[in-house]
Amino acid sequence: MAVENSEVTSMIIPELHDLGKLAADCLRGQKHSFYRSGKFMPGILIPEIVERDLTWASVIYHMKLADWSDWVRDLARPAPHHWIGPEERKALFLVCLADNLAATTVRAVYEGPQANEWRNLWSKSVFAVWRNEPAHEDPEPIKTPADLEELFTLWEKSSASAVLESLADNFRARGEDEAWPNQVTSLWAHCTLTGQYYRALEKHVEVRTSHEGLSLALDGVEVRNHEDASKRWKLRIARVTVKFHQSFARAMDVAVLRELRDALDDFESPYLLFRTGTTLYLFLPSSALSLRGILKPLTDRGFYAEAHTREAPPSSLQLWRSPRSGDVHRELIRAASAKLQKRRDHIKALLDHPGTPPGRKREVGPEVGRLDKKLRALRELESDAPVPRTTTPDSYSSFYPPEVDSTVEIEPPLCDVCQVRRGIPQRVATVTENLCNRCWELRDRGFRQADLRQWEERDSLACWICASLDPRRAELLVEALYGQRVIDGVLFVGMAPKQNEKLIPVLSQFRPLGILRDMHDEFARTITALGEAVRRIFSHVVELAEGVWIAELAEKRQLLQLLRSYVDLMKQHFPVLLEHHWRSGLLAEAAKAVRLGVSYGPAKWPFYVDWRHVSDPSHAVAVRGIRSFRFETDLPGLRALITGMGKWMDDRPPRVRRYLHELAEVERRTGLPDLAWAVVKADSKEPGPIRATAQEVVNRFDDGIRKGLFGPVQVLSLLELTFSGESSRVRGGGGDSYRIHP
């Protein structure tokens, strides 16, 4: 870098430190730098403004050259250029530390065998485990020297930030690690986390000079190299859920949802890694940082927060792993083992059968040995499935608004809405309610009852819709998805047995933070698309919060349209959750991380009843009509039902409806949907008109019946949303004789 007399650009964009990963192999040297044999690519001139930019220095420190990588990590070594002063050394040191910290919190960190054993499975594209496919964007936009020169021109004329913005989609398409099975985290997640770690650290790490040389200090702990910093500095990661006390006694009370949305949108902190819904993930690099102080903008607006915090050195810092992750891994392994064992037994029986031709025996014989090796590998993997307990337990804390202090006695009466502040008698319509100033203020700017009255006058109902991502189940879900990726590798046809053995330590070393961030981004895109579908289906829609809407329900068919749209969105964004094996045990629990709750009823119905149902549904998909209708299922069941209905929704012979009603009664009385379907199968073999009716049901829902994806009650409940004519009005419902009551 020939900039001996030039002023260095001190502003650094850490997100660009892995820029070299976007270049083709022919442009890269060792690892992912742009240098080969200590020299930059011949024939390409680096503009002076780029060459003196610290961001560019953070790009090239990756290369394994003694004059760069060693001195960046070790402050005792002299810098190779005089323009690199103490502050510049601090910046590069922290980018390197943040890079390592981001890498160890986004994927498995191998302490044993090297990933080079699986080079035949390496890939540059990120593999989205919830779609079970690689990204479609180009992970290598810098293919030629001309591409690199064009990038330098943009950098010179604009800024490093402009370069990052122009390549954002490529960062999202590129995997953070090329090595299988770690391509599950995007380079975008890794680089943005690196930037956030860096900026938080930079605020609290100070430069110190003494007769012993240069050092960096965090909370008074001085270090001079990366090894010391990784072991001696203490860092914290916190998962914070923001909540409110209010219940929805009146329609106007839902204003608290908007207030919470606005408060979270306004919440800015250099320590915020990312958020999804009302859950925040924070990085706290200093013990002097008060979590209460960071959350003060939220508690001052009347909300409270519950936080789980983990503290550890950078070398071992990771996000919480679900305590059930080992169990879900064992469940996946046992399912794969059972499938392989079934195939092995079938082949063995074929070999032992005297009627099997010799040619057929020679053809399938070697398969037994291959299956035995895979079964042994799965058993070894299962023995390593339990997650090692951390030596540093999580700490729990809660933070409340200043006026809601448990040590202060509140004189009665309590507020009728929040139950945590003193209520003041207020005249509301024809009754007197006790409301605190906070809840009265929210009502004053809340959702107007007049809108709901208009819906009531039009013979419509109020329909609540809430799509949510449960943070605890999301952590279990990414464990399951990553575990499935590893197990698929054990079963991969092209892998040698010795490579299967290398997979044993992988599950216990997985770090879920990066893939969680990517999944939250995917869910945000799902919410955006679902909002467009809601506004397309319903004529009058009010958005109350992120993923929460209240709409005017004129016909039940609109609910069916909503469910169809939701299935289509799941096919696009989370298709693996539609597969039938996500229906049992912990896999079913993990699949509930992505949830849709719908509730409809009279506009004057107490809203807290709707909210309790839609905000925490018991199933992945739950639709409820106040006092009249209930439909609950998982995503595979919903997909099979929607597929099975087909054109039958517009042409349903009365005998079929009557027959389904009788089957639903069997299920309702016994609680055994399998018994009801057994009746269907038996009737389909009997002579007479019942056989034709039963056969029609079997033909339409054969796949769902065989896999046990739904029962007759769910079929009949979904049919209730499709009645035509006058009965399709929400106050009809198809007649009491076919109504399924909860």
Side-chain angles (χ1 to χ4, degrees):
M1 298 180 69
V3 289
E4 300 298 325
N5 297 317
S6 299
E7 181 182 355
V8 64
T9 303
S10 58
M11 180 66 180
I12 190 168
I13 308 297
E15 288 83 356
L16 274 178
H17 74 280
D18 268 341
L19 179 65
K21 287 185 177 180
L22 299 184
D25 292 339
C26 62
L27 297 180
R28 298 192 297 176
Q30 291 175 309
K31 298 191 76 174
H32 39 269
S33 75
F34 290 105
Y35 276 62
R36 286 180 177 274
S37 303
K39 296 181 180 180
F40 192 69
M41 290 201 59
I44 299 179
L45 297 177
I46 308 176
E48 184 179 2
I49 194 171
V50 175
E51 198 168 10
R52 69 169 185 259
D53 195 326
L54 265 183
T55 300
W56 177 248
S58 73
V59 172
I60 65 173
Y61 85 74
H62 284 75
M63 60 185 175
K64 293 181 178 179
L65 299 176
D67 65 335
W68 272 92
S69 67
D70 289 345
W71 70 262
V72 166
R73 294 168 174 81
D74 189 351
L75 298 175
R77 295 175 180 267
H81 304 288
H82 76 83
W83 57 265
I84 301 179
E87 290 297 329
E88 288 74 28
R89 295 206 67 174
K90 168 189 170 182
L92 293 173
F93 184 97
L94 292 182
V95 170
C96 183
L97 181 65
D99 178 26
N100 293 340
L101 184 59
T104 56
T105 56
V106 302
R107 55 173 163 86
V109 182
Y110 299 108
E111 298 172 357
Q114 295 298 312
N116 290 337
E117 297 286 344
W118 308 308
R119 290 198 69 93
N120 61 315
L121 297 175
W122 280 28
S123 173
K124 293 182 172 63
S125 294
V126 64
F127 189 89
V129 286
W130 39 83
R131 286 197 300 272
N132 202 26
E133 64 179 16
H136 300 300
E137 286 284 339
D138 185 4
E140 290 185 339
I142 310 172
K143 293 181 171 59
T144 65
D147 294 334
L148 190 56
E149 289 180 338
E150 183 179 346
L151 183 145
F152 282 148
T153 301
L154 175 62
W155 196 326
E156 180 181 22
K157 292 182 177 180
S158 185
S159 65
S161 297
V163 173
L164 178 64
E165 184 178 352
S166 69
L167 296 173
D169 289 340
N170 303 104
F171 272 101
R172 291 186 175 94
R174 176 59 155 86
E176 184 271 337
D177 194 342
E178 296 179 24
W180 185 92
N182 280 337
Q183 312 104 321
V184 295
T185 301
S186 71
L187 186 60
W188 178 258
H190 167 74
C191 289
T192 51
L193 285 172
T194 298
Q196 289 159 322
Y197 287 144
Y198 167 83
R199 293 183 183 92
L201 285 165
E202 197 273 337
K203 290 180 175 296
H204 297 275
V205 173
E206 57 180 312
V207 178
R208 293 184 179 180
T209 55
S210 66
H211 66 279
E212 296 181 357
L214 183 66
S215 65
L216 298 178
L218 176 64
D219 292 338
V221 179
E222 290 191 34
V223 300
R224 290 179 171 79
N225 56 62
H226 266 239
E227 184 178 0
D228 283 348
S230 297
K231 294 178 180 179
R232 298 177 60 200
W233 283 355
K234 297 290 186 180
L235 310 175
R236 287 178 291 162
I237 288 183
R239 180 188 62 205
V240 180
T241 303
V242 186
K243 301 181 178 182
F244 55 86
H245 290 103
Q246 286 80 0
S247 62
F248 304 146
R250 294 179 179 271
M252 294 178 290
D253 294 329
V254 303
V256 71
L257 293 175
R258 283 179 169 175
E259 182 73 8
L260 178 56
R261 178 196 63 186
D262 294 342
L264 290 170
D265 288 343
D266 295 341
F267 180 75
E268 294 182 357
S269 172
Y271 311 108
L272 177 64
L273 297 177
F274 60 96
R275 78 171 175 94
T276 176
T278 59
T279 301
L280 312 174
Y281 292 86
L282 301 169
F283 171 62
L284 311 174
S286 172
S287 59
L289 281 170
S290 166
L291 191 54
R292 181 182 298 277
I294 293 173
L295 298 175
K296 191 174 185 297
L298 297 172
T299 56
D300 282 352
R301 295 178 72 161
F303 304 105
Y304 72 100
E306 296 178 347
H308 288 80
T309 307
R310 168 162 296 176
E311 182 179 75
S315 59
S316 57
L317 185 68
Q318 65 180 57
L319 193 69
W320 310 264
R321 299 194 67 178
S322 170
R324 297 177 293 178
S325 59
D327 295 330
V328 77
H329 292 157
R330 283 191 291 272
E331 190 172 307
L332 289 166
I333 293 167
R334 288 166 186 162
S337 298
K339 188 175 181 179
L340 288 184
Q341 187 66 48
K342 184 177 181 180
R343 174 161 178 76
R344 183 195 180 281
D345 293 344
H346 173 73
I347 294 175
K348 190 69 168 60
L350 192 67
L351 293 173
D352 294 341
H353 196 280
T356 304
R360 179 60 173 163
K361 290 185 178 181
R362 287 193 298 270
E363 180 183 348
V364 302
E367 183 69 13
V368 175
R370 288 193 290 267
L371 291 173
D372 285 338
K373 291 178 181 178
K374 291 179 179 180
L375 286 169
R376 283 196 298 270
L378 285 174
R379 283 193 290 270
E380 292 177 358
L381 197 61
E382 182 179 1
S383 66
D384 194 65
V387 179
R389 291 186 177 274
T390 176
T391 56
T392 307
D394 302 336
S395 61
Y396 169 82
S397 52
S398 55
F399 307 95
Y400 294 93
E403 70 274 17
V404 184
D405 191 333
S406 59
T407 62
V408 178
E409 185 175 347
I410 302 176
E411 296 181 5
L414 291 177
C415 175
D416 292 337
V417 177
C418 68
Q419 294 286 297
V420 293
R421 301 176 182 87
R422 187 174 187 274
I424 302 172
Q426 305 279 0
R427 190 69 176 173
V428 181
T430 60
V431 298
T432 299
E433 297 182 48
N434 295 312
L435 298 175
C436 66
N437 292 332
R438 173 68 178 164
C439 293
W440 180 260
E441 178 187 352
L442 287 172
R443 276 193 179 183
D444 190 49
R445 60 175 183 266
F447 181 66
R448 295 302 173 188
Q449 187 80 27
D451 296 333
L452 297 181
R453 290 198 189 100
Q454 293 177 8
W455 298 357
E456 189 80 14
E457 291 169 0
R458 290 195 288 264
D459 199 29
S460 302
L461 299 183
C463 179
W464 281 69
I465 304 164
C466 179
S468 59
L469 181 67
D470 183 270
R472 293 180 181 273
R473 290 190 177 107
E475 292 167 13
L476 185 63
L477 177 59
V478 297
E479 293 279 1
L481 292 171
Y482 184 78
Q484 187 64 62
R485 177 84 167 142
V486 173
I487 293 164
D488 287 345
V490 174
L491 307 178
F492 197 86
V493 178
M495 294 182 68
K498 67 176 183 178
Q499 293 174 325
N500 291 338
E501 297 171 3
K502 306 293 186 181
L503 286 169
I504 292 176
V506 172
L507 288 180
S508 61
Q509 296 177 16
F510 177 57
R511 309 293 189 260
L513 186 59
I515 188 173
L516 267 175
R517 176 169 189 142
D518 282 337
M519 188 169 72
H520 293 156
D521 291 344
E522 187 73 35
F523 183 72
R525 290 188 286 270
T526 307
I527 289 295
T528 300
L530 182 59
E532 295 173 356
V534 168
R535 286 183 285 272
R536 184 174 61 250
I537 294 169
F538 301 94
S539 56
H540 296 88
V541 178
V542 178
E543 184 175 3
L544 300 174
E546 183 181 20
V548 182
W549 303 270
I550 182 170
E552 178 187 10
L553 179 63
E555 290 189 349
K556 286 187 177 180
R557 290 177 184 270
Q558 293 173 305
L559 295 176
L560 186 63
Q561 293 171 12
L562 175 65
L563 294 179
R564 280 174 165 171
S565 298
Y566 187 67
V567 169
D568 290 340
L569 288 175
M570 288 297 102
K571 289 179 184 178
Q572 180 180 352
H573 296 280
F574 292 93
V576 296
L577 299 184
L578 296 169
E579 298 173 4
H580 73 275
H581 61 268
W582 291 89
R583 303 194 68 251
S584 61
L586 283 175
L587 293 184
E589 187 68 16
K592 290 180 185 177
V594 182
R595 303 177 298 176
L596 175 70
V598 180
S599 181
Y600 66 89
K604 294 181 180 180
W605 189 264
F607 274 42
Y608 66 86
V609 177
D610 301 85
W611 178 248
R612 186 170 57 238
H613 172 74
V614 301
S615 63
D616 190 20
S618 57
H619 291 69
V621 178
V623 182
R624 174 180 171 175
I626 300 299
R627 294 178 176 170
S628 63
F629 179 81
R630 184 187 294 268
F631 173 75
E632 297 172 334
T633 185
D634 48 32
L635 286 171
L638 179 62
R639 180 187 189 182
L641 273 168
I642 297 257
T643 303
M645 292 290 182
K647 296 180 180 179
W648 195 32
M649 292 180 175
D650 298 320
D651 181 19
R652 296 173 306 284
R655 67 176 186 275
V656 176
R657 294 208 304 269
R658 287 194 297 270
Y659 185 69
L660 280 172
H661 177 69
E662 293 171 2
L663 294 173
E665 282 296 310
V666 173
E667 179 184 347
R668 186 177 64 84
R669 293 177 184 277
T670 65
L672 300 173
D674 292 342
L675 176 61
W677 286 134
V679 173
V680 177
K681 294 174 184 176
D683 287 350
S684 65
K685 299 176 183 178
E686 295 295 328
I690 290 183
R691 175 179 182 180
T693 302
Q695 193 62 50
E696 184 173 354
V697 175
V698 169
N699 292 341
R700 184 62 60 186
F701 300 109
D702 181 53
D703 186 61
I705 293 173
R706 284 188 293 105
K707 295 177 180 177
L709 295 178
F710 47 74
V713 167
Q714 290 170 309
V715 176
L716 195 59
S717 296
L718 198 60
L719 274 175
E720 188 177 341
L721 304 180
T722 69
F723 291 122
S724 59
E726 195 63 29
S727 62
S728 69
R729 302 296 297 176
V730 293
R731 302 197 184 284
D736 291 338
S737 59
Y738 297 107
R739 186 180 299 281
I740 298 300
H741 297 278

